[in-house]
Structure formats: C-alpha cells, structure tokens
Amino acid sequence: MKLIEIGQVVNTHGVRGEFKLNPWTDSLDGLLDYDVFYYQKKGQDVPLYVERIRIHKNCAIIKAEGVDTMEEAELLRGQTLFVERDENLPEGRYYIVDLIGLRVMTEEDEVLGIISDVLQTGANDVYEVRGNEKPIYLPVIDQVVLEVNIPEGYVRVAVPEGLLD
C-alpha cells in the first residue's frame, strides 16, 4: 500500500474527540471521499477509520472511531495524516510530490531548471523552477505547460514572451 501525505492535525474540536486537519490538497471536498486516514507511530501505519468528516473554514473536522474524548484527539495533534495513493488520477492531474524535482525543458530542449515548488494561487497553479539564476514562475495553463512526463522525469513548456528577460 502506497501512502501520500494529506495534511496535519492542528487542533482538537469540541469535547467528543473531533480534530482539525489542515489539508495539503487543492480539493477540500475530495477529503470527504476518504473512509480511512493513516498516521505513523513507531514506524507503523496506524489507521483512523472515519465516523464523520466535514469541511469548516478551510480545514476538515474529523471524528474517527476510537477517538472519543478531547484528550484522545489531543494525542493526534501534530501528526501528519496519510491516505492511500490513487494511481488513477484524472487526465492532467498530478501529485505535487511527483512534480517536485522534474526537469523543465523548452520546446527546443533547453533545460530551464527543476520544479522546486508548486504554488496554488486559486486561478491556476504556478511551477517554481530553479536553475542557475533567479527562480522562474510558470503558470500551469495549457498554453504554457505542453507535456508532463513523470516516468521520463520532465515537463515541456512554451515560455511566455518576456518571461526570461
């Protein structure tokens, strides 16, 4: 089973064992689809089976089986939660962890650098590309990102006019 980080428990919520998850995902509603989250304890993946989950102020409020008091929820504070990795993402969707470190090349095979971060701006994501000089910020739109090839380790882009000046 391959797991991927989904967020961090940042606080308790109420007195009945609910806790707040600060999600590291661009789709808060997608969190509602999970029945189980995992955290690591002494190198082991420990499941948290979801009783209920709801979105509140850019966080997820989760009630898990066996976590019934504020004190039990408090023990989860600071834990990174994981979910099973979905290997069948929709076309054009990628895990950020898979994009970090990919080479970024122009249509003419000039290497601009590697993706060092993916910024989520709301309208569209932005790839931060680090090469030899200052970072380059490329909008993730069809006119700029021409190809993403994770198995081969690269992203091919059309550099907007004036961006590299």
Side-chain angles (χ1 to χ4, degrees), residues 104-107 112 127 138 144-147 155-159:
V104 178
M105 302 185 314
T106 66
E107 296 170 279
L112 299 175
Y127 292 158
L138 296 169
V144 174
V145 178
L146 306 175
E147 177 186 6
V155 174
R156 189 170 309 280
V157 299
V159 179

Side-chain angles (χ1 to χ4, degrees), residues 2-70:
K2 287 187 177 180
L3 298 179
I4 189 163
E5 293 180 1
I6 198 76
Q8 184 176 39
V9 177
V10 293
N11 211 346
T12 61
H13 185 82
V15 296
R16 293 191 174 94
E18 290 182 316
F19 55 89
K20 283 185 182 182
L21 177 73
N22 180 27
W24 299 333
T25 177
D26 60 351
S27 173
L28 289 175
D29 289 337
L31 292 171
L32 302 174
D33 296 334
Y34 292 103
D35 297 325
V36 62
F37 293 93
Y38 298 87
Y39 68 97
Q40 294 184 334
K41 184 175 181 180
K42 297 181 182 179
Q44 299 294 315
D45 296 326
V46 178
L48 286 170
Y49 297 99
V50 175
E51 283 185 16
R52 64 183 172 273
I53 184 171
R54 67 184 187 282
I55 304 303
H56 179 71
K57 295 184 180 180
N58 293 325
C59 284
I61 306 296
I62 301 171
K63 171 64 177 85
E65 291 178 14
V67 181
D68 299 315
T69 67
M70 183 176 10

